[in-house]
Amino acid sequence: MTETESKWGEKLKKFFKDYYWNEILQLANEYPDQRSLEVDFTDMEKFDRELSKELLEHPGELIFAAEAALKEIDLPVEKSLEQAHVRVIKIPNRIPIRELRSKHLSRFVAIEGMIRKATEVRPRITEAAFQCLRCGHLTLVEQNSFKFEEPYAGCEGDNCGKKGPFKVSIEDSTFIDAQKLQIQESPENLKGGSQPQSLEVDTEDDLTGNITPGDRVIINGILKSRQRALKDGKSTFYDLVLEANSIERLDKDFDELEITPEDEEQILELSRDPAIYEKIIGSIAPSIYGYEDIKEALALQLFSGVVKNLPDGARIRGDIHMMLVGDPGIAKSQLLRYVVKLSPRGVFASGRSASASGLTAAAVKDDMNDGRWTIEGGALVMADMGIAAVDEMDKMKTEDKSALHEAMEQQTISVAKAGIIATLKSRCALLGAANPKYGRFDRYEGLAEQISMPPALLSRFDLIFVLLDTPNHALDSRIANHILQSHYAGELSEQRLKLPGSKVTEDFVDAELEVIEPVIQAEIMRKYVAYARKNVYPVMEEDARQHLIDFYTGLRKSGEGKNTPVPVTARQLEALVRLSEASARIRLSNVVTLEDAKRTIRITMNCLKNVGVD
Ligand code: ADP
Ligand code: MG
């Protein structure tokens, strides 16, 4: 018995009996199908502060002692909880992945994030039985570390002691299921589109096999270090690994942004402003000149339509997919980055991304995980319940193109490869940008062909904007002015004011700042969007409905017999509904009115004209 065990053993037994007696009885009944006793940290804290403090500081020893104590409890049934685990949830030490430091080593920490990768579940040996080939004796060696331990002291058989040769007897060894995960910071916890950081996680036994990429979780565990291996020996650097003790699944739409009562008041007041649409549009990428119609559509995408679950089990997405196609250098990438900043959950990715998972998902043989098959979620999985902004979509991989059909409409991604079968969720809105194949857009050639995307895929976008870079003197000089102003707005100009001989007047600086500053600050805008998406589920009024139906049937009729680049299908009608709902959400209104329908039709018409349907 170790010191920790004897010191805390009695206390732990009392804690279990006082607080978890029913759960222990249930565990005993179900054992070994159920193998874990889940303990709430706050209960332990209530029971004995010293004990709970010890758990945070010396989790390895204390969990060991707790499992030993659990085994010793007298049960009314004839059973021994030999391999039962004690899993503690609600650990208060919540540390962001990027803030993990050496002081957290060996401590109990709680890491929140999204699962990015998960390996296959494979057995790990926990006790190896070495059979001596000379005397036949079995020598048992516990395998606690990463590296396989041999019986260095020699055979333990009577009068043998030989250093081998040995053979590992599989039947006499003990194995446990093991799975490696990689957890990554959730998009909503990243400031201004910075790259997410990730952490490796080891899970064992009943924790394995339940988690797939895209799941939002809190993993409570012990932070361990693992020495890096160099080609010729060991490195002085260590990598961090979390040894999972328990996993808490987070609700799919848990509150990521804290909205205070003051925020709510501000949001409600904004929503009553008759100029709310102009204000919202003016707050999307204010440093980009023009593109009012695109910014309006981006606003609708941020607010999103309402998802519908039909009685027959079918589901119609509420997310609005949008695509910007056009000549290079016209601020497509900038618009994408801005939307990611404004979305409560935005992920930025490029179609030419080097990672194996690409945009959707991939099953890869990962060297990092001893060549185990690993399933890795791509941008659309990581953006679940948010917006995935994908730049350079024309350069995406062929596998992604075919997976996108499912990802955009059913909002799932199926992976079936090498024994891994999984369905990942991708309930996100896609905002794509693509450059035409030949550098410049040719208005007389087919759209699908120019951005090398099949028409079937294009038809899944609710809105496609084609932007042409046609020289226009008046417009060019206005853009030029705007760009130069945004470059010199703010502090820089204020500094210049102080320079002797500066020609920049105070009036000028004020005027510039007005142009460039967003009307609604990004922080409150994100909250406004989150609030609307969470609380507002608008329903369509009769005259709005009729208006959309008339427009749609007219569109179908005019498209008859023509070979349009993007066919008008029932999808367009669904798109019109989504866009109108989003328009109502901007006002936080529970009814979709004729005004919303008209706005939607105006935006849709603009797009269709450019794409070549008219
Ligand atoms: P794209 O992705 O379309 O090739 P970028 O987003 O990289 O283009 O834009 C190139 C540069 O030109 C950016 O720095 C952008 O801010 C600027 N730019 C282009 N059009 C505008 C505009 N209308 N207003 C302000 N800046 C613009
Ligand atoms: Mg670009």
Side-chain angles (χ1 to χ4, degrees), residues 114-134:
M114 269 179 112
I115 300 299
R116 171 146 181 110
K117 292 189 196 179
T119 67
E120 302 168 280
V121 179
R122 283 292 175 263
R124 182 175 84 75
I125 196 161
T126 54
E127 192 180 57
F130 289 91
Q131 186 170 37
C132 176
L133 293 186
R134 292 175 198 266

Side-chain angles (χ1 to χ4, degrees), residues 267-268 270-273 275-281 284 295-304 520 525 528-529 532-533 536 538 579-589 596 599:
I267 289 168
L268 292 177
L270 274 170
S271 76
R272 287 189 289 263
D273 189 330
I276 181 65
Y277 290 93
E278 289 74 25
K279 284 196 167 169
I280 296 247
I281 294 167
I284 295 177
K295 290 181 184 178
E296 190 171 6
L298 290 173
L300 296 180
Q301 186 183 40
L302 277 170
F303 283 82
S304 166
I520 304 169
M525 177 92 155
Y528 192 125
V529 172
R533 291 177 67 137
V536 187
L579 290 162
S580 309
E581 288 167 346
S583 166
R585 264 185 168 171
I586 292 185
R587 299 190 305 280
L588 304 184
S589 159
D596 295 313
R599 175 189 325 266

